[in-house]
Amino acid sequence: MPITLGLIVVGMIVYFVLLRVRRGSRMVAEVIDMPSDVRTAARRLGYKRRTDVHPVISIDNPHLAMGALATAYLALGDVPNPAVPELVKHEVAQSAEQAQSMAMLGRWLIGTCDGTQDAAARLAHRLQSLDGGGTTGPLMALLHDSGDAAGPNLAQIAARDDIARILRPG
């Protein structure tokens, strides 16, 4: 009886160790899956990926959240990809290099969500939790001023309304 009980305990210990190792390898694989240029951009912006939460929740800088949210909003429209960093720099970033990094990281964050619309909502919620929507003036100016000559499309209008509702103070 004591030998059987001992074998059961040893089996449970091996099982729990294997679970921990498997979870750790999954976490490492997630970080490795991030392309090197995105990792470089993330390092430049001070973004540190926490492996136990969604990548959007790992954002701890409101300006980074605004840049990623602007990238998601612009991705909903017909703005060509090379124009995104310039628009982000105009309203959110301090330099062209920072705007390029924000756009690159923003595109990666969009890829980790269930689509661009979901990414915009997640990023707006994260921005609201970081600063209560208090520093979003430049972002809202970008959302209202961007788009092509025909104006924003239906997806951008819906996203802009959702973002404004989420970021509403109070």
Side-chain angles (χ1 to χ4, degrees):
M1 182 71 169
I3 293 173
T4 307
L5 191 58
L7 288 174
I8 291 173
V9 169
V10 168
M12 289 175 61
I13 290 171
V14 168
Y15 174 74
F16 286 117
V17 167
L18 287 176
L19 280 179
R20 299 281 290 181
V21 168
R22 190 177 313 144
R23 187 171 48 187
S25 67
R26 253 186 281 144
M27 289 180 197
V28 169
E30 285 178 7
V31 172
I32 289 175
D33 285 343
M34 185 187 287
S36 64
D37 53 345
V38 176
R39 269 188 297 219
T40 304
R43 196 173 311 118
R44 234 180 279 131
L45 295 170
Y47 173 79
K48 289 185 176 59
R49 168 86 165 94
R50 292 185 305 190
T51 54
D52 56 339
V53 295
H54 192 275
V56 171
I57 304 298
S58 296
I59 297 173
D60 59 354
N61 181 348
H63 292 291
L64 177 57
M66 279 193 286
L69 181 55
T71 303
Y73 175 79
L74 294 170
L76 287 169
D78 303 325
V79 177
N81 264 348
V84 171
E86 185 59 36
L87 289 170
V88 171
K89 179 187 177 289
H90 180 67
E91 295 292 343
V92 179
Q94 283 100 17
S95 68
E97 181 182 338
Q98 186 182 29
Q100 185 69 31
S101 297
M102 281 182 177
M104 193 177 301
L105 188 60
R107 284 190 288 270
W108 179 78
L109 287 168
I110 291 168
T112 63
C113 296
D114 293 332
T116 310
Q117 198 84 336
D118 178 55
R122 281 180 185 257
L123 288 162
H125 281 290
R126 184 60 187 155
L127 182 59
Q128 174 66 19
S129 68
L130 285 173
D131 76 342
T135 60
T136 59
L139 174 68
M140 295 312 283
L142 175 67
L143 299 185
H144 287 288
D145 295 343
S146 66
D148 56 359
N153 61 25
L154 293 176
Q156 284 181 315
I157 292 170
R160 187 173 57 205
D161 293 343
D162 285 345
I163 292 167
R165 180 183 47 77
I166 292 167
L167 295 178
R168 186 174 306 129

